Amino acid sequence: MKKYKLAYLSALGLWLVVSIVNHLYITTIMKGEVKCHTENNKDVDYYTENDVTPSLSEEKFEALQQQLKETQHKLKTLQDTTSQAVESEARVTDEDADSFTPQKDYYDACIVGAGLSGVVIAEQYTSQLSKNAIIIEKRDHIGGNVYDYIDEETNILVSKYGAHLFHTNYPRVWDYIQQFSEWAVYEHRVQGFIGDKYVPIPVNIDTVNALFNLSISKVTEMNKWLDQEQVHNDNPQNSEEMALSRVGRRLYELIFEPYTFKQWAKTPRQLGPSVTARIPVRNNWDDRYFDDVFQALPKQGYTKFVEQMLDHPNIEVHINTDYFDVKAQLEGKCAHTYYSGPIDHYFADLGYEKLEYRSINFERQVIKDIGTDTFHFPASVVNYPGAQYNFTRVVEYKHFLNQKSDHSVLFYERSTDEGDPYYPVPNKRNQDLYKMYQEMADKEANVTFLGRLANYKYFNMDQTIQNALELFDKDSPKVVIENVLNLNTGGPEALLQLTLAFHSWMPTRTFINGPGEEKALQWVDRGYPEVAMLKRISSLDELKAGDIYIIPEIDVCDKALVDRGVKVFVYQLGKKLTGRNIRNGCEYISHNYWLSESFGLDLPRTHILTPYLSRQKTNFGPVSSDGREDIILVNHDSFHTVANLEDFCAKRENPCTVTKLRGFNNEQLNGLYKKAKIMYANCMRGSERGPLEAALAGMLILTADCDNASDLRDFPIPRDHLITERHSFEDIANRMLDNFQEEQEKLEGLRYHYMNLGHEYLIKETKAFMYATVNK
């Protein structure tokens, strides 16, 4: 920590020096023109012709330049060093309560526990909201019970707290974990050593045949056998009744009863029905332990997986730190606390009874020199239900990911009441006691209890992740976009593109509202299949303070929503209703700076959300005059100018032709774009598709600077292609028709900009907008 702070302070000092030197450099008055950037990031031209500020001498200026280069080099070197220090020391801090030092004065999320629940919350806060999070972990490592490491003696990846096999039927969870690791498909298979033989677990046809010397060969025969064995019970009250109803007494006494007692130190009759209900029973030959659609293991292990989830500068982790020892130091520093530890421990000071948990004791054994491809056991996990064995199962980690080693390492597992809490004990006494703790937890202000221990409920890994994601959704702002499917919004495709950009990275918190559902298939046909996945909000009454509601410019700002604390934004395309909407408390987002400036909106970069032309293939045509004719195409909103245009064409020495863009299909339009020279669009506002498609196909755009906008950084139309007092329509049109090739070169910036726009670009912009809005 000291090394990190020293590096940071040194870098800060050098940054100040560089800032001062840079300031002197860009404000130095040089001969000719100096271009610098203002706070709004606009290019401003300064001329020294009449400036009274004296210039520096050439010698002083060169010395200043050299000083700048040297200082920048030192800063870069120190930044690299600082970055390494942050990576190696500041990411995870190992300290006890006496040396606990939070790095910030305030945290958006204070998280107790670095297991999967807490790590998912931290990752979501930082990636989805760009907020900061601190994690307090009592153990000496991250990852909770999925923590794994390389066994030094055998070079085999092993888990410290027992085998963890990822499996899920939740597509959202599966998609989520793909971000942080490569996954190897792995279908878990377990054997049970019963009597003197290994048999598949869970029970299937092979298990029954082996144990009872039967020859069942059909699913129907297995169903009949099970039906004869089962003690039918429509409402099992405990694990004994549940097991008997599923497999009958013989399998119950042979497998379920002894194994359950060893695992829980209680008979199945003393446990709730959920314990044995979790154990699958098969009527076929399927020997997989799980039948989920998605089953896999992280190729680099779970610890690396968790490290990737925590790889964000806004996440601060403190291990070897008991939250209750440092709770007072975090007082007033946490906007919200997420607690994933035992719920009874949170209220321990009140002196109530404790909940029961079961733990596991692990005994390690190394089998030397058995061969690189040789295993000690027939499966990665072997269960020993028999009472004659004082352990429940053995795990041979060499099986997982087909690891190569001359040796093997085994871990014998024994259940115990002592040690870290692993499993809640599901019986009536504990469930009643938990309800009391849950009622107290519900009254804790700004505290969310999550995960297995805090909910006193068994969660698989996927359920743990799903639970954390859903809790984050519940606590986080949603985005609702109005009239997305309606084709009459002034810019319907832009609105849909914006919605799909939000949906791509926050699908559970993006909603649509308004009519037009019957038009969804039209959007699918136009290249937007994701429209079928968009969810509707049932009512705007669901919007709460902090939620974001985006409306097209044709809608009127709802002051009642603003008064409720909803952040209402108008997506500006060209209408002049800004005054009324701003008075009602709405804010604005826009297609581009030129458009926003046209209507007097001083928007930050984060509020410029740029649509792209189309999901369909863009036709990039030749930018030369070869094959082109003196044709002026007239955009649909400019038909009233056709007579004047035709009069202009008739008077030219080389007459031109005027064509209104009406009644053409896409193929015909693309043909015209590659044949004509000029697209005329009167008073062009926003990213209007027709003129832009024409420009990308090789045409020139002729339009009017009707709103006197000057900020063209993201809508780079050459100024001398805009009709103004200085540049008349006739002058521009003649120049374009007669010097097409030369005028084409001026559109290079516009083409480059729009060629690089697309779905991924808009996703980045929606993230920047969300970060800026929720952290305002």
Side-chain angles (χ1 to χ4, degrees):
M1 285 296 293
K2 289 181 180 179
K3 177 182 176 183
Y4 165 70
K5 289 179 179 176
L6 179 61
Y8 174 78
L9 291 173
S10 300
L12 179 62
L14 264 180
W15 175 81
L16 289 171
V17 172
V18 171
S19 297
I20 294 170
V21 175
N22 267 316
H23 178 73
L24 289 172
Y25 173 69
I26 65 174
T27 56
T28 296
I29 306 302
M30 300 171 60
K31 296 178 181 179
E33 180 183 320
V34 177
K35 182 168 287 188
C36 61
H37 297 279
T38 66
E39 289 182 359
N40 293 327
N41 205 29
K42 298 178 181 177
D43 287 339
V44 179
D45 296 336
Y46 290 91
Y47 296 88
T48 63
E49 199 171 325
N50 299 314
D51 204 308
V52 297
T53 306
S55 300
L56 292 176
S57 67
E58 290 187 6
E59 293 82 1
K60 288 184 178 180
F61 182 74
E62 290 177 1
L64 190 61
Q65 279 187 310
Q66 183 61 33
Q67 181 183 354
L68 174 65
K69 290 179 181 178
E70 292 175 358
T71 310
Q72 286 176 329
H73 175 72
K74 289 179 181 178
L75 176 61
K76 176 67 170 61
T77 302
L78 191 52
Q79 281 176 330
D80 292 341
T81 305
T82 306
S83 176
Q84 294 170 7
V86 171
E87 182 68 29
S88 61
E89 298 188 28
R91 184 77 69 198
V92 177
T93 305
D94 186 352
E95 58 194 358
D96 55 26
D98 293 335
S99 59
F100 175 70
T101 308
Q103 297 174 16
K104 293 182 173 63
D105 294 328
Y106 190 77
Y107 296 93
D108 299 296
C110 293
I111 300 162
V112 183
L116 285 179
S117 294
V119 169
V120 169
I121 291 293
E123 189 281 326
Q124 289 285 279
Y125 258 82
T126 52
S127 71
Q128 296 281 298
L129 303 177
S130 194
K131 291 182 176 291
N132 61 64
I134 183 173
I135 300 178
I136 311 298
E137 171 56 58
K138 186 176 181 179
R139 288 171 168 170
D140 62 356
H141 58 76
I142 59 174
N145 286 356
V146 303
Y147 173 76
D148 52 21
Y149 62 94
I150 298 295
D151 180 76
E152 292 185 2
E153 191 173 355
T154 62
N155 200 36
I156 293 173
L157 180 70
V158 301
S159 295
K160 186 171 183 177
Y161 304 100
H164 284 79
L165 299 311
F166 187 86
H167 56 98
T168 187
N169 284 320
Y170 299 129
R172 182 187 183 187
V173 173
W174 178 250
D175 289 343
Y176 176 74
I177 65 172
Q178 303 307 307
Q179 304 173 72
F180 312 107
S181 175
E182 290 188 45
W183 293 78
V185 173
Y186 177 84
E187 293 182 328
H188 188 46
R189 287 171 170 80
V190 175
Q191 295 273 300
F193 191 71
I194 301 171
D196 60 352
K197 61 186 69 173
Y198 293 102
V199 297
I201 299 291
V203 170
N204 65 11
I205 290 177
D206 287 332
T207 309
V208 171
N209 284 341
L211 292 177
F212 302 114
N213 196 27
L214 298 175
S215 55
I216 295 173
S217 60
K218 298 179 181 178
V219 170
T220 54
E221 293 177 3
M222 182 64 173
N223 288 337
K224 183 178 179 180
W225 184 87
L226 282 172
D227 185 63
Q228 293 172 345
E229 293 285 317
Q230 291 165 344
V231 180
H232 297 287
N233 185 340
D234 293 332
N235 187 26
Q237 297 298 303
N238 54 56
S239 275
E240 178 180 316
E241 292 180 2
M242 175 60 75
L244 289 172
S245 72
R246 302 182 70 212
V247 299
R249 186 160 299 279
R250 285 197 290 173
L251 281 174
Y252 169 74
E253 292 178 349
L254 196 60
I255 301 175
F256 285 69
E257 183 179 33
Y259 191 87
T260 301
F261 185 79
K262 287 202 297 183
Q263 180 75 15
W264 298 97
K266 287 180 172 56
T267 65
R269 186 175 297 180
Q270 295 174 296
L271 296 169
S274 63
V275 172
T276 52
R278 291 182 56 247
I279 305 172
V281 178
R282 304 270 164 71
N283 66 347
N284 51 29
W285 290 269
D286 188 355
D287 64 345
R288 298 174 303 157
Y289 198 79
F290 310 110
D291 58 5
D292 300 67
V293 174
F294 306 107
Q295 302 185 42
L297 292 174
K299 287 186 177 181
Q300 302 300 318
Y302 287 103
T303 300
K304 293 293 184 183
F305 164 66
V306 172
E307 285 176 354
Q308 286 300 308
M309 296 176 72
L310 293 174
D311 186 21
H312 195 287
N314 289 3
I315 299 177
E316 178 183 329
V317 183
H318 297 258
I319 59 175
N320 273 329
T321 305
D322 191 320
Y323 167 70
F324 297 100
D325 290 340
V326 301
K327 186 178 180 181
Q329 296 183 55
L330 292 171
E331 196 72 34
K333 293 186 175 184
C334 301
H336 197 95
T337 297
Y338 291 87
Y339 179 79
S340 66
I343 190 171
D344 55 337
H345 191 45
Y346 185 90
F347 298 103
D349 291 345
L350 300 179
Y352 293 110
E353 289 184 82
K354 292 183 178 181
L355 292 163
E356 287 183 276
Y357 299 91
R358 291 291 283 174
S359 187
I360 301 177
N361 174 267
F362 299 94
E363 179 187 341
R364 173 178 172 272
Q365 179 186 356
V366 173
I367 308 297
K368 287 281 195 177
D369 301 319
I370 66 170
T372 303
D373 298 314
T374 305
F375 303 105
H376 187 72
F377 283 111
S380 58
V381 175
V382 178
N383 290 354
Y384 284 79
Q388 66 270 35
Y389 304 103
N390 68 350
F391 52 91
T392 55
R393 68 177 188 175
V394 185
V395 180
E396 185 175 12
Y397 285 95
K398 188 176 181 180
H399 284 272
F400 299 131
L401 299 172
N402 195 27
Q403 299 184 72
K404 302 299 181 183
S405 173
D406 291 335
H407 321 297
S408 191
V409 58
L410 316 176
F411 282 84
Y412 291 80
E413 298 184 5
R414 296 175 177 85
S415 294
T416 174
D417 288 326
E418 304 296 328
D420 291 339
Y422 284 19
Y423 304 106
V425 180
N427 58 25
K428 188 176 187 308
R429 179 261 181 193
N430 287 320
Q431 291 301 322
D432 291 344
L433 187 56
Y434 167 68
K435 288 179 182 177
M436 179 196 72
Y437 282 119
Q438 186 181 34
E439 290 174 0
M440 292 191 293
D442 290 341
K443 297 175 183 177
E444 286 289 294
N446 298 318
V447 180
T448 297
F449 292 76
L450 78 161
R452 178 190 299 190
L453 300 179
N455 286 277
Y456 202 69
K457 179 181 179 181
Y458 185 86
F459 285 152
N460 288 322
M461 281 186 288
D462 65 325
Q463 295 168 325
T464 298
I465 294 171
Q466 179 86 339
N467 173 247
L469 290 173
E470 289 177 347
L471 285 172
F472 172 80
D473 289 346
K474 178 175 174 290
D475 293 339
S476 302
K478 64 176 71 73
V479 172
V480 178
I481 305 178
E482 184 70 33
N483 276 323
V484 172
L485 301 181
N486 191 349
L487 297 177
N488 185 28
T489 59
E493 192 159 2
L495 205 61
L496 178 60
Q497 290 173 356
L498 181 68
T499 305
L500 295 179
F502 276 112
H503 183 267
S504 67
W505 64 279
M506 44 180 287
T508 58
R509 293 186 293 119
T510 300
F511 299 87
I512 61 174
N513 191 52
E517 193 163 2
E518 69 283 356
K519 304 211 173 71
L521 286 178
Q522 295 183 34
W523 289 116
V524 173
D525 292 339
R526 291 170 67 172
Y528 298 95
E530 312 99 300
V531 73
M533 301 172 64
L534 296 177
K535 296 186 297 183
R536 282 185 174 275
I537 194 168
S538 57
S539 168
L540 293 181
D541 292 337
E542 293 182 24
L543 291 172
K544 62 182 185 299
D547 286 340
I548 295 169
Y549 179 48
I550 298 174
I551 62 175
E553 62 182 5
I554 63 170
D555 291 352
V556 177
C557 174
D558 189 337
K559 189 174 185 303
L561 286 176
V562 176
D563 292 342
R564 274 168 40 196
V566 177
K567 298 178 180 180
V568 184
F569 289 88
V570 181
Y571 196 21
Q572 185 70 21
L573 302 177
K575 297 289 183 182
K576 295 187 177 182
L577 300 175
T578 56
R580 178 179 62 184
N581 287 331
I582 290 174
R583 284 194 299 274
N584 283 346
C586 281
E587 300 179 66
Y588 273 81
I589 52 181
S590 179
H591 275 202
N592 51 51
Y593 280 105
W594 186 38
L595 179 63
S596 66
E597 185 190 22
S598 298
F599 297 105
L601 301 171
D602 185 16
L603 299 181
R605 176 65 186 90
T606 54
H607 287 42
I608 305 297
L609 302 172
T610 315
Y612 44 99
L613 288 182
S614 172
R615 280 290 181 86
Q616 297 171 351
K617 182 180 179 181
T618 301
N619 289 281
F620 298 102
V623 295
S624 69
S625 58
D626 295 343
R628 292 192 180 271
E629 301 175 17
D630 289 348
I631 299 174
I632 300 177
L633 304 182
V634 183
N635 199 35
H636 64 87
D637 60 354
S638 307
F639 288 171
H640 62 284
T641 66
V642 167
N644 292 334
L645 294 174
E646 289 176 338
D647 184 59
F648 161 78
C649 280
K651 293 178 181 179
R652 270 178 51 86
E653 182 178 348
N654 297 313
C656 52
T657 303
V658 177
T659 301
K660 292 192 294 185
L661 293 180
R662 173 185 289 169
F664 296 102
N665 60 34
N666 284 336
E667 184 178 351
Q668 291 169 331
L669 281 175
N670 290 328
L672 283 172
Y673 292 160
K674 294 179 180 180
K675 182 178 180 181
K677 288 186 177 180
I678 298 175
M679 165 68 81
Y680 179 72
N682 183 58
C683 197
M684 185 173 174
R685 297 190 182 102
S687 305
E688 294 168 352
R689 175 186 297 154
L692 289 170
E693 285 183 341
L696 294 180
M699 292 183 64
L700 295 167
I701 298 176
L702 175 53
T703 186
D705 186 12
C706 51
D707 295 301
N708 299 312
S710 60
D711 194 339
L712 301 176
R713 81 185 86 166
D714 59 354
F715 196 56
I717 296 179
R719 293 187 187 279
D720 60 0
H721 289 187
L722 300 174
I723 301 170
T724 62
E725 291 183 2
R726 294 179 59 188
H727 302 286
S728 69
F729 165 78
E730 291 80 5
D731 290 341
I732 301 173
N734 282 322
R735 179 163 26 96
M736 287 181 167
L737 292 170
D738 297 337
N739 301 289
F740 181 81
Q741 192 81 30
E742 182 178 334
E743 296 301 314
Q744 269 288 358
E745 296 176 2
K746 300 176 183 178
L747 278 180
E748 183 179 348
L750 182 139
R751 287 200 193 87
Y752 179 82
H753 179 68
Y754 278 93
M755 284 171 62
N756 286 281
L757 294 182
H759 182 60
E760 295 301 322
Y761 189 94
L762 191 52
I763 288 173
K764 293 177 182 178
E765 291 190 323
T766 56
K767 287 184 177 182
F769 165 75
M770 175 63 79
Y771 297 163
T773 302
V774 300
N775 291 297
K776 188 173 181 180

